[in-house]
Amino acid sequence: MTRGNQRDKDREKAQKKLAQQNKGKKTDGVSHTKRAESDAEIMRAKQAAKAAAAAAGGSSTAGASTAAKK
């Protein structure tokens, strides 16, 4: 009662699917916490730049909508 080569085909299919899932993931050796800290620092810099632009009179979508409500 063997299934022929079905088991081998299923294994190949599973390996191919796993390889496809892991294709876009970054594995550069940076730990999760270090990556989170780095991303947080980048976001803080972006927020500071946006706040500076808003203070200088630049248009921002969030600032314009809150200013219109006041």
Side-chain angles (χ1 to χ4, degrees):
M1 298 284 243
T2 60
R3 294 172 43 189
N5 65 348
Q6 188 64 38
R7 236 179 249 140
D8 294 332
K9 287 197 176 270
D10 285 345
R11 252 185 226 123
E12 289 173 12
K13 184 178 175 183
Q15 286 176 347
K16 193 176 202 182
K17 184 178 179 183
L18 184 63
Q20 188 68 22
Q21 287 176 347
N22 292 333
K23 188 176 183 180
K25 296 191 177 178
K26 294 181 181 179
T27 55
D28 55 0
V30 178
S31 71
H32 177 70
T33 54
K34 288 204 185 252
R35 184 175 303 280
E37 289 172 6
S38 171
D39 291 346
E41 183 62 35
I42 291 168
M43 290 307 295
R44 279 189 219 106
K46 285 183 179 181
Q47 288 173 344
K50 189 171 183 178
S59 64
S60 78
T61 57
S65 64
T66 55
K69 290 180 182 177
K70 289 184 180 181

